[in-house]
Amino acid sequence: MSLDVNERNDSGSRQSEGGDRAQYGVCAFLALLGVLVIVDATGIAHSTSSTDPIGPRTVPMLLGVLLLVIALVYVVDVARGGRAEPESGEDVDLTNAIDWRTVLLLIGAFVVNAVLIEPLGWVISGALLFWGTAFALGNRHYVRNLAIAVSLSLITFYAFAIGLGVNLPAGVLQGIL
């Protein structure tokens, strides 16, 4: 004989009136983060030009306001009884042990990138980062991964330089790129 119990209704009946305090804590954190972003953005000098008509302050102010709006919407949702589905959205089997080899390989790829970015430049260190990350995550198509890694590092190098006006270190490829 089985019991036909709807877990969602069962867990909802145990939930205290007005929502979970932990979720309100997340709301408070988001609101605090939004206020900090706005306060920090007010310290940015307001300057506009013909090439940058909105100035550097606009995006952080917009992000701060969005964080406040998200916090407010989340508070309303929690107060109305909204809850995330526990563990159903996760694709992680908590019974398995941590794959330390993969974690250490990923950390190694980031450390190699951090150490080599100044002397060799972003394109080479970024390619090593992308290739190393693919290797750490189990992809064994070495040549294809190298071609993709070099392409990604070149695309990001020029995207930062042309699109954002931020020059990443060129390193040994200075004058070639």
Side-chain angles (χ1 to χ4, degrees):
M1 179 175 167
S2 67
L3 295 174
D4 189 24
V5 176
N6 186 347
E7 291 181 13
R8 176 174 264 184
N9 289 339
D10 186 41
S11 65
S13 65
R14 282 185 269 149
Q15 182 181 3
S16 64
E17 190 71 28
D20 186 4
R21 288 188 308 181
Q23 292 182 13
Y24 285 124
V26 173
C27 298
F29 175 74
L30 288 174
L32 176 67
L33 192 61
V35 169
L36 289 175
V37 168
I38 289 172
V39 167
D40 192 45
T42 58
I44 298 173
H46 183 69
S47 62
T48 58
S49 66
S50 61
T51 58
D52 186 14
I54 61 171
R57 190 186 302 178
T58 306
V59 171
M61 292 292 276
L62 181 65
L63 290 175
V65 169
L66 285 175
L67 281 169
L68 290 174
V69 169
I70 288 170
L72 180 64
V73 169
Y74 194 29
V75 164
V76 170
D77 183 51
V78 171
R80 295 177 66 191
R83 306 181 52 172
E85 293 181 28
E87 301 296 330
S88 64
E90 297 288 331
D91 192 22
V92 176
D93 186 6
L94 297 176
T95 59
N96 287 339
I98 295 174
D99 185 5
W100 287 108
R101 181 181 180 273
T102 301
V103 171
L104 292 176
L105 284 172
L106 287 171
I107 291 171
F110 283 107
V111 169
V112 166
N113 179 39
V115 170
L116 296 179
I117 194 168
E118 271 306 315
L120 297 181
W122 166 252
V123 173
I124 295 172
S125 70
L128 289 172
L129 172 68
F130 295 134
W131 187 87
T133 302
F135 179 81
L137 295 176
N139 194 320
R140 298 297 183 253
H141 299 277
Y142 303 118
V143 176
R144 184 181 70 190
N145 289 345
L146 183 62
I148 292 171
V150 170
S151 299
L152 281 174
S153 62
L154 281 169
I155 289 169
T156 53
F157 181 83
Y158 285 115
F160 270 81
I162 296 169
L164 300 175
V166 175
N167 291 323
L168 295 174
V172 296
L173 299 176
Q174 183 74 31
I176 298 172
L177 298 173

